[in-house]
Amino acid sequence: MCEAFYLFFQKESISEKNLIAVLSGIVIVIGIYVYDEYFFTFSHLKGTFQEGPVKSPNGTYSANVYYEPWGGAAGGVTIWVKVTTNTSKKVTKTVYYARANDDFTMKWKTDHTLKVTNKSLDYPKIDNYSVTLDVRNEIYDGYGLACKSVLMKNDYKKCLSN
């Protein structure tokens, strides 16, 4: 065994081309990780319309639910809620993003407070992504990516995550 280490270190040093290739690969992998972790946005969401619009009590906001299946037969469903401001300047933003469960409902508590219930009927204490949001300045991301994103810091004052 010692001979194997001796022979390994006796070889000539790594070529310049191989060193550049290895270092480039490391930089690319680190770059992809940093991009995925800190430059997340909801712009990639291309799901199917599910429910809505659910209007707030004074009609200031409308909430729509969208979903997207992932992972094939053994996968699941991601669900998100987009809220639109019903004023002359219509603004739409995603305020809720999580894995979907059996029991999903949303209801306006006040004109700007939306209660989202998203829990499992079998495991309500474990798989519970329910939250009450002030849609003016709060968002919920069940995966936590929006809370770490430098691109989304101006979109909310408070980011909630599971």
Side-chain angles (χ1 to χ4, degrees):
M1 180 138 171
C2 291
E3 290 179 29
F5 285 113
Y6 179 75
L7 290 174
F8 177 77
F9 287 110
Q10 287 292 334
K11 290 183 178 181
E12 293 181 26
S13 63
I14 191 167
S15 72
E16 191 174 314
K17 283 183 180 180
N18 288 341
L19 180 63
I20 291 172
V22 168
L23 291 176
S24 297
I26 291 171
V27 167
I28 289 170
V29 168
I30 291 172
I32 290 171
Y33 171 77
V34 167
Y35 180 78
D36 282 348
E37 284 290 310
Y38 300 105
F39 294 93
F40 176 81
T41 65
F42 291 125
S43 63
H44 72 284
L45 300 176
K46 306 265 189 274
T48 305
F49 176 74
Q50 176 70 26
E51 177 185 329
V54 178
K55 293 194 178 213
S56 63
N58 294 340
T60 307
Y61 299 100
S62 296
N64 292 307
V65 180
Y66 298 84
Y67 73 94
E68 182 175 30
W70 52 269
V77 176
T78 300
I79 197 162
W80 62 94
V81 176
K82 286 186 176 184
V83 172
T84 303
T85 307
N86 296 325
T87 59
S88 59
K89 185 179 179 184
K90 292 208 180 273
V91 177
T92 301
K93 67 178 182 174
T94 302
V95 296
Y96 183 89
Y97 180 65
R99 194 182 91 197
N101 282 306
D102 308 328
D103 181 15
F104 180 86
T105 59
M106 64 179 180
K107 181 179 180 182
W108 290 96
K109 293 292 197 179
T110 67
D111 200 46
H112 57 269
T113 307
L114 180 66
K115 179 174 175 51
V116 178
T117 302
N118 183 11
K119 61 185 176 182
S120 170
L121 296 174
D122 295 329
Y123 306 101
K125 292 184 180 178
I126 299 171
D127 288 337
N128 189 348
Y129 306 109
S130 302
V131 68
T132 301
L133 296 169
D134 182 337
V135 298
R136 297 172 297 183
N137 55 21
E138 293 179 343
I139 64 170
Y140 177 85
D141 181 1
Y143 300 102
L145 296 173
C147 298
K148 293 188 274 183
S149 175
V150 266
L151 298 177
M152 294 190 66
K153 289 292 181 193
N154 295 331
D155 294 350
Y156 58 83
K157 289 184 183 173
K158 187 175 182 182
C159 184
L160 306 168
S161 181
N162 200 4

